[in-house]
Amino acid sequence: MANYFSDYASLCFEAFGDRVKHWVTFSDPRAHAQAWHSYNNTWRSKQQGLVGISLNCDWGEPVDISNPKDIEAAERYLQFCLGWFANPIYAGDYPQVMKDHIGRKSAEQGLDMSRLPVFSLQEKSYIKGTSDFLGLGHFTTRYITERNYPSRQGPSYQNDRDLVELVDPNWPDLGSKWLHSVPWGFRRLLNFAQTQYGNPPIYVTENGASQKLHCTQLCDEWRIQYLKGYTNEMLKEPFLSYMQIMTEIMVPTVCTLCILIAAVLLMLLLRSLS
């Protein structure tokens, strides 16, 4: 399938690459790296485009920020969600916490090897660095706390993570059972992706709210508030950038004010002398 997808991607690059300069290989990734290499080796020098990937992940907030177990569970939630596919691309391998947990569970279930595949050195080298930007889909947030699931319950994504997802009943409900408006979680996910993966260019590729009410006329105030909240969180500057912007604004402004004040004082002085 990876070869088939690479052939398909190459056809797209050839047919549309003179106009399309930003490519997203997958929203649900499988054969991403091969398509990236195809573009990099054959088309990039001619078309000067970029190839990235789109990954979806909600934010995981510890239930108790003073509890190390909850903090670890929230980190595990993010690594099993975003890190599962982003870490091989940016670091060359699955997150260590995934390898540890799935490896241990697999051994307890009587398996000779981990259910999580192992990359060869050649595969790690081939996959690492295969993204010119990170596409990020995000919709909501969950509170996370630790829960140990016995290995005898059998293999599953839920059991491997050893955690529970919770929601705050005060979060605005947007119709879909899984969707709540939690804009601050979006900002924290953006910060996490920025620091975790070496500050890559990030494009928000998915976000939005489902239909809450059946209306004959336009009635989507909840969607307006959702998009407004999430857009505002996205537009917030990181602290250092904010300080840099403030410095760039304040220094010239203060200098200008000082010059104007000096000019006014000089005019008053000249008037008094005359």
Side-chain angles (χ1 to χ4, degrees):
M1 289 304 299
N3 291 330
Y4 291 151
F5 180 76
S6 180
D7 291 342
Y8 165 72
S10 295
L11 179 63
C12 292
F13 297 148
E14 182 179 7
F16 308 114
D18 59 327
R19 287 151 288 165
V20 177
K21 302 304 177 184
H22 291 76
W23 296 90
V24 175
T25 54
F26 280 101
S27 179
D28 296 307
R30 293 300 178 263
H32 163 81
Q34 200 161 330
W36 185 92
H37 280 288
S38 173
Y39 189 84
N40 194 58
N41 295 335
T42 307
W43 304 104
R44 187 185 299 276
S45 61
K46 305 173 187 177
Q47 300 175 355
Q48 299 296 308
L50 301 173
V51 178
I53 195 169
S54 177
L55 303 175
N56 284 292
C57 192
D58 297 330
W59 174 250
E61 182 76 6
V63 168
D64 183 358
I65 59 174
S66 65
N67 185 343
K69 295 293 185 182
D70 282 358
I71 295 174
E72 291 175 6
E75 172 72 17
R76 198 159 58 247
Y77 173 88
L78 293 170
Q79 295 297 348
F80 268 77
C81 178
L82 184 59
W84 185 2
F85 298 108
N87 217 70
I89 291 174
Y90 288 99
D93 202 355
Y94 291 120
Q96 188 62 45
V97 69
M98 288 189 73
K99 295 194 290 184
D100 292 343
H101 267 252
I102 298 175
R104 176 176 57 82
K105 297 266 187 177
S106 299
E108 292 172 353
Q109 291 158 359
L111 300 177
D112 294 332
M113 62 180 64
S114 175
R115 288 181 279 101
L116 185 68
V118 177
F119 290 122
S120 67
L121 292 177
Q122 183 179 4
E123 288 172 330
K124 291 179 181 180
S125 177
Y126 187 77
I127 295 171
K128 185 178 180 180
T130 56
S131 193
D132 302 317
F133 61 86
L134 174 61
L136 196 58
H138 172 80
F139 295 91
T140 191
T141 288
R142 293 289 185 267
Y143 278 118
I144 306 298
T145 188
E146 183 184 49
R147 175 180 294 176
N148 291 317
Y149 291 93
S151 298
R152 64 176 180 273
Q153 291 186 358
S156 74
Y157 180 73
Q158 179 68 28
N159 291 350
D160 285 340
R161 296 187 303 168
D162 280 335
L163 57 85
V164 175
E165 302 177 30
L166 306 170
V167 298
D168 187 332
N170 295 318
W171 288 343
D173 181 10
L174 298 175
S176 298
K177 292 182 179 180
W178 60 272
L179 183 59
H180 298 80
S181 181
V182 195
W184 54 262
F186 186 30
R187 185 68 208 172
R188 296 184 185 186
L189 181 66
L190 289 170
N191 288 335
F192 174 84
Q194 181 185 46
T195 57
Q196 187 81 9
Y197 306 120
N199 195 25
I202 296 176
Y203 292 91
V204 179
T205 47
E206 289 188 57
N207 180 255
S210 52
Q211 184 73 14
K212 185 176 182 180
L213 301 172
H214 295 287
C215 303
T216 57
Q217 300 180 15
L218 188 63
C219 58
D220 62 349
E221 180 64 26
W222 73 91
R223 182 178 285 118
I224 295 173
Q225 294 304 317
Y226 175 94
L227 293 173
K228 181 179 179 180
Y230 278 71
T231 301
N232 285 339
E233 290 294 327
M234 179 181 64
L235 293 175
K236 286 182 179 178
E237 290 289 338
F239 181 73
L240 291 178
S241 298
Y242 175 77
M243 291 301 294
Q244 181 181 359
I245 291 172
M246 290 301 295
T247 301
E248 292 174 352
I249 294 173
M250 290 299 295
V251 171
T253 303
V254 170
C255 291
T256 302
L257 288 174
C258 290
I259 293 171
L260 290 174
I261 292 172
V264 170
L265 291 175
L266 180 60
M267 290 176 59
L268 292 175
L269 178 61
L270 291 175
R271 282 186 179 182
S272 64
L273 291 176
S274 62

